[in-house]
Amino acid sequence: MTLLLLAGLGACDKQSPPAGQGPTATSEEVTGPAQSQKGAFSYTLDRSKAGTPAPDFTFQAPDGSDAKLSDFAGKPVLVNLWATWCAPCVAEMPTLDAIAADYGKKGLAVLTISQDSQGEQVIKPFFEKHPLPHLKGWIDPENQFGFHYNTGMLPTTVIYDAQGKEMVRVVGAMDWTSKEGRALIGAALTN
């Protein structure tokens, strides 16, 4: 239990980069002004995989059926990897819910895909407890997305354009209602 708490405090960092290793030329460290009621968000924007096609993994839809990102062909998709035990993930969820409410009508699909190993057993109670009416509990039972994105950190969010091509990865928690968050969503909607 103590180890899980420490992992949550470390921004759900599964694997830290080596000491002294800063952002690469294809990523930009962004921290600071984005705040929530729970404190500052910290994230890195990574555009190094821009143009890469979305993976075609099967994951679990909220109704228990199989789903694939290709099911959302023709619309931009925001894929957020998160877990119920990850404090930054939980703090970010209300901002994702606001984005789903604001931009869902414009065609954006917001998929919050859980990386919890207990699946529906913990996801269903989470959504019953938290007022997130515009989000649903998608589940990646085999953590295929986490291994594919290979960021070593939760939350990780990847935005795909309407053609299913990756635009940007957000590694860490972002206030999606911020100017920066809305700019990323706006770019996906116009691309």
Side-chain angles (χ1 to χ4, degrees), residues 136-173:
K136 296 179 182 169
W138 304 82
I139 301 170
D140 179 13
E142 297 176 24
N143 293 326
Q144 296 177 94
F145 285 96
F147 290 119
H148 177 76
Y149 294 153
N150 195 29
T151 66
M153 181 183 249
L154 290 177
T156 289
T157 303
V158 179
I159 299 177
Y160 296 97
D161 64 17
Q163 292 75 43
K165 303 290 185 191
E166 183 171 328
M167 295 181 68
V168 65
R169 291 182 186 197
V170 179
V171 182

Side-chain angles (χ1 to χ4, degrees), residues 84-177:
T84 57
W85 48 263
C86 170
C89 300
V90 173
E92 180 183 54
M93 292 295 261
T95 72
L96 287 165
D97 187 65
I99 289 298
D102 293 347
Y103 293 98
K105 301 172 257 196
K106 298 176 183 175
L108 178 70
V110 177
L111 307 179
T112 51
I113 303 178
S114 169
Q115 301 297 289
D116 285 281
S117 60
Q118 300 91 356
E120 189 176 349
Q121 180 183 345
V122 294
I123 302 309
K124 188 174 179 183
F126 177 87
F127 279 98
E128 288 170 355
K129 179 181 176 185
H130 295 84
L132 302 165
H134 305 286
L135 297 180
K136 296 179 182 169
W138 304 82
I139 301 170
D140 179 13
E142 297 176 24
N143 293 326
Q144 296 177 94
F145 285 96
F147 290 119
H148 177 76
Y149 294 153
N150 195 29
T151 66
M153 181 183 249
L154 290 177
T156 289
T157 303
V158 179
I159 299 177
Y160 296 97
D161 64 17
Q163 292 75 43
K165 303 290 185 191
E166 183 171 328
M167 295 181 68
V168 65
R169 291 182 186 197
V170 179
V171 182
M174 172 182 263
D175 178 352
W176 290 94
T177 62

Side-chain angles (χ1 to χ4, degrees), residues 56-82:
D56 201 30
F57 304 131
T58 299
F59 55 102
Q60 186 178 335
D63 66 4
S65 65
D66 286 344
K68 292 185 172 194
L69 292 181
S70 58
D71 296 341
F72 301 90
K75 62 170 58 177
V77 179
L78 181 151
V79 174
N80 174 263
L81 301 186
W82 71 288

